[in-house]
Amino acid sequence: MAQPASNSKGGAKVPRKTISKPVNFLFGGLSGMGATAITQPLDLVKNRMQMSGLGGAAREHKSTIHATIKVARSEGVLALYTGLSAGLMRQATYTTLRLGIFSSLMDMCSNDGQPPRFIVKAGLATVSGAIASFIATPTELSLIRMTSDGRLPVDQRRGYKHVFDALYRIGKEEGVLTLWTGYRPTVVRAMVVNAAQLASYFQAKQFLLSTDYFEDNLFAHFVASMISGFVTTTISLPVDITKTRIQNMKIIDGKPEYSGAIDVFTKTVRQEGVFSLWKGFTPYYARIGPHTVFTFIFLEQLRKLYWRHYS
């Protein structure tokens, strides 16, 4: 991403070199994978809570803590890391692409090291999210199924060994196109998440650094990340719930459980109430917040190392 312009002795702005596109993509993937390795249990709990109450059944989990304890007791503590391989694979594809494309587009739209306006940031984030999410939908589907498997009756569990086993079996047993089940809400969610997360993070960081209270350090990155995480959670959670339920739906009497995103949305509201669209808000924010923090902290530190040694 473009860095702020430095000043020469004569006062003229001299923009620094931009980070090469391959390095942008590499840093994006490494940042996302590092964050996922830390926050995977929160993603599993979030998915379990979103599936709770499905089909009008009684809620399985009363709270985030209740869900975490129940999973640990019934399936073992290590079960909280179920689907880690899918989570890492998703970051290696989705986050590599979304941050890499966004960083490259930001470089193209920056003027002498000065970042573009907020509306431009949001547009660039939307485009990068749409492209990345479509390509990475199979890993997203694998992650949803693997983290939801433990809540099913034993005879109905899919029992994927790892992400490659999931991808292979889904393609072989259900058809290759099944790997893109729910791609529409997945793409929509990614567009919403990226527009909210990336644009709000860089806008919040830009604002914080313009005040007298913040410097470009870990604390500023942390505050900007938490602001971004809250905005992203509030806006994107209803879309995320819709996506999760579509990707985990069953085939009943030869027909899919849902006909599409609108069907999921209306059935959820009718059977469980409007506020069920924000079910799992705490674990979702608990995941989005730290994941956003770790992703951007890792990204910022990798960029600083790059500038220190290669600028």
Side-chain angles (χ1 to χ4, degrees):
M1 229 169 285
Q3 299 291 302
S6 58
N7 292 329
S8 66
K9 290 182 179 181
K13 290 183 178 179
V14 181
R16 298 179 183 177
K17 296 179 181 179
T18 57
I19 297 177
S20 66
K21 289 183 175 61
V23 175
N24 269 330
F25 281 80
L26 176 64
F27 285 176
L30 291 176
S31 301
M33 292 174 74
T36 291
I38 297 172
T39 63
Q40 177 64 21
L42 297 171
D43 201 29
L44 181 138
V45 172
K46 182 266 297 182
N47 287 342
R48 292 292 180 88
M49 291 190 71
Q50 288 182 346
M51 299 304 296
S52 176
L54 187 60
R59 291 182 62 185
E60 301 172 59
H61 308 299
K62 301 175 182 178
S63 65
T64 302
I65 295 176
H66 177 261
T68 304
I69 293 174
K70 184 174 181 180
V71 171
R73 284 180 175 176
S74 60
E75 302 172 45
V77 175
L78 292 181
L80 291 168
Y81 275 90
T82 299
L84 178 60
S85 63
L88 293 174
M89 188 65 178
R90 178 177 179 271
Q91 296 302 320
T93 52
Y94 172 64
T95 302
T96 295
L97 290 169
R98 77 178 180 113
L99 290 182
I101 294 172
F102 179 74
S103 296
S104 299
L105 292 176
M106 282 281 284
D107 283 339
M108 292 171 59
C109 296
S110 296
N111 183 18
D112 291 332
Q114 300 303 312
R117 294 177 299 167
F118 176 80
I119 189 66
V120 177
K121 291 189 187 84
L124 299 180
T126 301
V127 171
S128 62
I131 296 172
S133 64
F134 179 78
I135 295 173
T137 294
T139 60
E140 177 86 12
L141 177 68
S142 300
L143 176 62
I144 294 297
R145 288 194 176 189
M146 291 177 74
T147 54
S148 301
D149 210 33
R151 67 179 292 274
L152 298 174
V154 176
D155 61 335
Q156 295 181 24
R157 294 179 185 176
R158 301 177 177 100
Y160 301 130
K161 298 176 182 178
H162 45 69
V163 63
F164 298 109
D165 181 46
L167 292 171
Y168 174 75
R169 284 179 51 192
I170 292 171
K172 181 180 179 181
E173 297 169 6
E174 304 173 50
V176 173
L177 293 182
T178 303
L179 290 167
W180 274 267
T181 298
Y183 78 88
R184 289 189 181 89
T186 299
V187 169
V188 170
R189 173 191 174 275
M191 294 169 68
V192 172
V193 167
N194 277 270
Q197 186 185 61
L198 297 181
S200 63
Y201 171 78
F202 287 104
Q203 194 68 28
K205 177 186 170 186
Q206 186 178 335
F207 170 76
L208 294 175
L209 297 183
S210 70
T211 69
D212 297 328
Y213 306 103
F214 291 89
E215 297 180 356
D216 192 359
N217 54 26
L218 285 176
F219 182 63
H221 303 159
F222 172 80
V223 175
S225 298
M226 291 307 291
I227 293 172
S228 173
F230 184 80
V231 171
T232 304
T233 300
T234 302
I235 295 175
S236 68
L237 187 52
V239 182
D240 189 71
I241 287 178
T242 300
K243 174 194 69 66
T244 298
R245 294 194 171 188
I246 286 179
Q247 292 182 320
N248 201 53
M249 67 180 174
K250 303 174 183 176
I251 302 299
I252 302 175
D253 296 329
K255 295 182 179 180
E257 192 172 359
Y258 301 109
S259 60
I262 295 177
D263 188 35
V264 176
F265 189 89
T266 54
K267 284 182 178 178
T268 300
V269 172
R270 185 171 61 249
Q271 297 173 359
E272 304 170 47
V274 173
F275 290 106
S276 64
L277 295 172
W278 283 271
K279 183 181 292 182
F281 184 94
T282 302
Y284 190 62
Y285 179 63
R287 176 196 176 272
I288 285 287
H291 195 277
T292 301
V293 168
F294 287 123
T295 296
F296 285 120
I297 284 178
F298 290 153
L299 181 63
E300 299 278 10
Q301 294 307 305
L302 287 169
R303 289 171 58 206
K304 283 187 176 181
L305 286 172
Y306 180 90
W307 288 114
R308 183 180 303 164
H309 296 288
Y310 298 102
S311 62

